[in-house]
Amino acid sequence: MIQSSKKSLVILGLRAISNRKSHRWLKLPLTFKMPFENVFSHHNPRYMFNAGKVLTDAQEEQLVQAEELEINAITVQKTGSDIDSAIKYLEQAHQIRNTILGPDDPKTCRTLIDLGFLYMKKQDFSQAGKILLECYNKSCEIYGMSSKEALKVLDDLGTLYELVGQLEDSLEVKTQALEFVKSAPNMSDEVYGRIHLSYGKTLLQVGSLDEAITYLNEAYRALNQVFSHENQLSLSVYNNLAQAYLRKGAIKNAMTFAMKAKQVCEYLFESQNASETVAVLNTLGQCFDAQGDHKQALENKQLALELTKQIFGERHASVATTLNNIAYSYQKIGNLEEALKFYNRALEIFEEVYGKTHHDYITVLNSIANFSLAKKDYTNAEKLFSRSVELSQKLNRGYERLKAESLQKLGQTHLLAKNYNDAISCLERALNTYQEAERPVPTELAEIHHLLGLAYSKAGRHQEALNSHKKALEIRTAAFGDSHPQVGTTLYFMGAENLKLEQFGKAEELSKKALDIYLKNYGDGHKTVPKIKQLYNLSSKLASINKK
């Protein structure tokens, strides 16, 4: 352990694994106690490595060779060639530097950092973890714990946690990095921007959309102080802002940032063989899907798939993600057979890369189960969603929303199959699970309340049904305003429950509000309008009789 005379330092520990797909090989400390001053600055004479050391001509030639190998590694990545070649070049460069300059030389450390990142990109998470932890210790020793180099490695470790499904650990590590950046004196705008960008991306993963947008905008502000032109960092900001607005339902904003990201891609990359281009094409495809232009969405996603295969090969998680995105577009245009084929291919790759107890695998499994649900094959849907529930319970903390979604879908299946008590049991569990989430999305919580209200009603528990719909109404009104169709739907079901409870006046009032909302949004031709009119007329008639 490295120690400072002022503060003790807690360094990340590493636990080896016997089963690679478990990914529980990173042991996170509860707290980090790190000095913010650069106690171990490379300006400290103790760390002026090789100062005054005389190199032989042969050693100087070898160091030039190491630089050429690093350039080769960068070139291979930019042209989209295989990652293994880039790793081979960097390993050779690191070996040369380590032999001549020693393991504590800054250049040796930087080469090792780049090597760890490449292993992470290759999805050899065990090797990446070992290298990054070694880099973290060395970076802290050489540069100081609040240095750009140490913070970059700490941030990479947070990203690694995220990739292997340890979302809570990822957020904790990145929160520590963020605190260092905010507290350290004379922190550069570039480091400040990079860490805010990374933190915003993780917030996006956990569903905290408004916070994510705030941090991403702050990242862009800081980075804009450093760079006079668009670069890969601004590209990442744009693409992640597009994703955040897309998930919020702000499609116009999402498309604006997605198009900005595309323009930066065209400016930065002579060829499209870059992983950043793949991410932008996928985001554009999702934006077109949200606009209902599924043909344009498919064009972008299929191009993304071609590029992903060129960069990563056939069996990479990025390929599976794109296959999943393509399946969604086929599903929306009604080509269910093709959609199912793509979902199954994505599922197979995710299982191969991550195993079955990973959030990406479970998400695709839910999508496949939805096909059985849509075809009213409730037996198979129940089987698949039950499997999803079982697997999701093994996920680490941070995935309460996905756990709740699996329970919610199983409850919905039971509801449609008229197994009302089973539906209530699953939906109540989903509600309890969702409320444990640190950053719940209120509208998703409203949907569980809505389904639970329907299940209670079918089971004859009308007061409980009404209470559930009231909770859904509060959330939806706060999120969407008084005139949104989802508010109208909830008012309709509340009116129906009041009718069953013989509260005729209240049923009339609520159904009238629901009718006004639907007429305002859709006109008289919507398929739900006759049902609302029927409820309103019946409630009005019974309320009138009751008054007499």
Side-chain angles (χ1 to χ4, degrees), residues 468-529:
S468 290
H469 287 307
K470 281 181 179 178
K471 291 173 182 176
L473 180 67
E474 289 173 8
I475 296 170
R476 286 173 170 173
T477 302
F480 303 125
D482 296 330
S483 301
H484 194 274
Q486 287 192 27
V487 173
T489 299
T490 308
L491 289 167
Y492 165 74
F493 283 109
M494 287 177 64
E497 294 308 316
N498 273 285
L499 183 66
K500 293 167 187 174
L501 292 167
E502 298 184 0
Q503 301 295 320
F504 304 126
K506 195 66 178 175
E508 178 186 13
E509 175 191 339
L510 293 168
S511 57
K512 178 64 167 65
K513 287 182 179 179
L515 183 60
D516 289 343
I517 290 171
Y518 263 79
L519 290 174
K520 178 181 178 180
N521 282 279
Y522 300 117
D524 201 40
H526 193 276
K527 62 181 181 181
T528 307
V529 169

Side-chain angles (χ1 to χ4, degrees), residues 128-232:
K130 291 174 185 177
I131 291 174
L132 288 174
L133 286 167
E134 181 183 347
C135 291
Y136 182 65
N137 290 348
K138 286 294 180 187
S139 296
C140 293
E141 184 176 351
I142 295 169
Y143 301 105
M145 285 197 167
S146 58
S147 66
K148 171 182 176 180
E149 290 78 9
L151 286 171
K152 180 184 184 303
V153 182
L154 186 61
D155 185 62
D156 284 343
L157 281 166
T159 300
L160 188 57
Y161 276 125
E162 192 174 309
L163 287 171
V164 299
Q166 296 172 220
L167 202 54
E168 283 292 309
D169 291 343
S170 172
L171 196 59
E172 185 171 349
V173 169
K174 291 192 177 186
T175 299
Q176 292 291 338
L178 186 70
E179 289 174 357
F180 298 158
V181 163
K182 289 181 176 179
S183 304
N186 304 318
M187 181 57 63
S188 72
D189 283 326
E190 181 183 353
V191 176
Y192 181 91
R194 283 178 181 272
I195 299 300
H196 276 72
L197 168 58
S198 182
Y199 192 69
K201 289 164 68 174
T202 303
L203 288 172
L204 181 58
Q205 288 295 314
V206 300
S208 186
L209 304 180
D210 289 330
E211 276 188 274
I213 289 169
T214 298
Y215 278 93
L216 291 169
N217 279 320
E218 179 65 9
Y220 183 72
R221 183 203 62 76
L223 294 169
N224 203 39
Q225 301 293 318
V226 182
F227 302 106
S228 59
H229 56 273
E230 303 284 22
N231 55 36
Q232 286 179 295

Side-chain angles (χ1 to χ4, degrees), residues 4-22:
S4 154
S5 59
K6 296 185 178 181
K7 297 180 182 179
S8 63
L9 313 180
V10 180
I11 305 302
L12 291 169
L14 176 63
R15 180 155 54 93
I17 59 164
S18 56
N19 176 10
R20 178 174 176 271
K21 288 181 179 177
S22 71

Side-chain angles (χ1 to χ4, degrees), residues 282 285-286 289 294 297-306 308-309 319-333 335 338-343 345-346:
N282 270 316
Q286 291 170 315
D289 271 329
H294 304 300
L298 273 172
E299 287 180 9
N300 281 276
K301 292 177 183 181
Q302 285 167 340
L303 180 55
L305 181 62
E306 292 174 16
T308 307
K309 288 179 179 179
V319 174
T321 298
T322 307
L323 288 169
N324 182 60
N325 290 338
I326 291 172
Y328 177 80
S329 294
Y330 275 122
Q331 184 179 347
K332 297 302 289 186
I333 63 177
N335 191 341
E338 197 70 8
L340 189 58
K341 182 175 75 173
F342 276 88
Y343 277 132
R345 286 170 60 191

